[in-house]
Amino acid sequence: MLSLLLMIGCAPQSEARTRIADVEATIGTAANPAGAPSDASRGGSLARAAGGPAGTDYRVQPAPTPGVVLGTISGGSPKDTSIAPTHDLAVCRPFSETLLVSRDGGVGDAVVWLNGVGSGPRDDAPRRVRLTLDGCRLSPRVQRMAAGSTLLVNSRDAMMSRLQFTATGEAAPRATLLLSDAGQVVPTAQASAAPGLVRVSDDLHPWVRAWLVVAPHPFVAVTAADGTFRFDGVPPGRYTLHVWHERLGTRETRVRVEGGVQTRLQLAY
């Protein structure tokens, strides 16, 4: 169950002039089990989170008086998972990992986005991002990238890997990369050809996994370890805010953004 405290306050010039009020909100649950992405569920697709009838139209047109959305996601219980590789043991040694990164009770590596934003500022995400295969593990586990940007895949492992990039809701992989040498760097732009939540997997090593969050607009974030996120320059309007986490699942809630107003959310799984 995801609980929510939604507070709205005017962008403060001083603490004494800040207006904060509790607002009731209805929380929906997108149908997916924990650990399975529901990005392709109707109404919740990251690939169709922009404006227009198809949810794919976004134009760069900053609002005269935008709002701010910021929040914190908390909950869940961090647990380490022991991984025991079955082959290529010279490179793939046993290790432990957690799918729930957390600091101070927050939920890190959660993907948060606003659905239905048709205009706003330019996405200032870097045009090149890096994904590293090291010790039979991909890092970072979850990262955001702008549509049309270039991914540089760097292998530090002397073994054969076949990485596949498959967007949720798409039957075929967007790209397949073969890696074989330590120090190899392979660029690809196919993985970010269109917005969506893209799973990176290695069909030769099933424990190798990562996620690319290809954003359709600037209002997409991956939470820090303390669960925080922030969207600046949001055009006034009513939107659906979606939260996806690899282990905890997907939730959504309605958000009203007002010009010159700071909307603060505290969400807990």
Side-chain angles (χ1 to χ4, degrees):
M1 179 66 68
L2 185 71
S3 61
L4 171 70
L5 172 62
L6 175 62
M7 297 183 292
I8 295 181
C10 294
Q13 295 181 352
S14 67
E15 289 296 328
R17 297 177 61 183
T18 302
R19 176 173 59 86
I20 299 176
D22 292 337
V23 178
E24 293 184 1
T26 301
I27 301 170
T29 303
N32 78 302
S38 66
D39 175 65
S41 62
R42 287 188 294 272
S45 173
L46 179 62
R48 303 187 181 280
T56 57
D57 298 333
Y58 182 82
R59 66 184 186 278
V60 177
Q61 183 179 325
T65 310
V68 176
V69 176
L70 69 159
T72 303
I73 301 175
S74 61
S77 177
K79 293 181 180 179
D80 286 340
T81 300
S82 295
I83 306 297
T86 57
H87 53 280
D88 286 328
L89 300 183
V91 175
C92 303
R93 295 184 174 88
F95 62 91
S96 295
E97 67 177 355
T98 178
L99 299 184
L100 180 52
V101 180
S102 179
R103 185 177 72 242
D104 300 329
V107 173
D109 281 351
V111 183
V112 184
W113 70 91
L114 291 177
N115 195 74
V117 186
S119 64
R122 187 180 304 276
D123 193 344
D124 61 358
R127 306 306 298 177
R128 289 194 174 192
V129 299
R130 185 176 291 269
L131 183 65
T132 301
L133 179 65
D134 188 7
C136 226
R137 303 171 67 179
L138 285 172
S139 179
R141 181 77 177 194
V142 184
Q143 67 175 316
R144 180 193 189 283
M145 60 188 304
S149 54
T150 299
L151 177 70
L152 300 175
V153 182
N154 176 27
S155 175
R156 298 178 181 172
D157 294 343
M159 67 177 188
M160 180 67 72
S161 295
R162 185 164 56 222
L163 298 184
Q164 297 198 355
F165 300 79
T166 308
T168 307
E170 297 179 8
R174 291 184 174 184
T176 299
L177 296 185
L178 294 176
L179 303 172
S180 58
D181 299 321
Q184 188 176 6
V185 178
V186 181
T188 178
Q190 294 172 292
S192 65
L197 184 61
V198 179
R199 183 184 71 246
V200 187
S201 59
D202 182 353
D203 59 1
L204 301 179
H205 307 88
W207 55 88
V208 174
R209 183 66 56 87
W211 299 91
L212 302 176
V213 184
V214 185
H217 51 58
F219 311 112
V220 180
V222 177
T223 58
D226 61 359
T228 57
F229 68 92
R230 179 183 180 114
F231 300 138
D232 290 300
V234 184
R238 295 180 182 271
Y239 308 104
T240 302
L241 184 136
H242 294 270
V243 182
W244 174 87
H245 186 271
E246 181 178 1
R247 170 158 287 181
L248 300 178
T250 305
R251 299 292 186 268
E252 62 183 41
T253 188
R254 297 290 294 174
V255 177
R256 180 185 178 187
V257 178
E258 298 181 52
V261 172
Q262 187 181 85
T263 303
R264 300 188 297 176
L265 300 96
Q266 296 179 4
L267 304 96
Y269 277 98

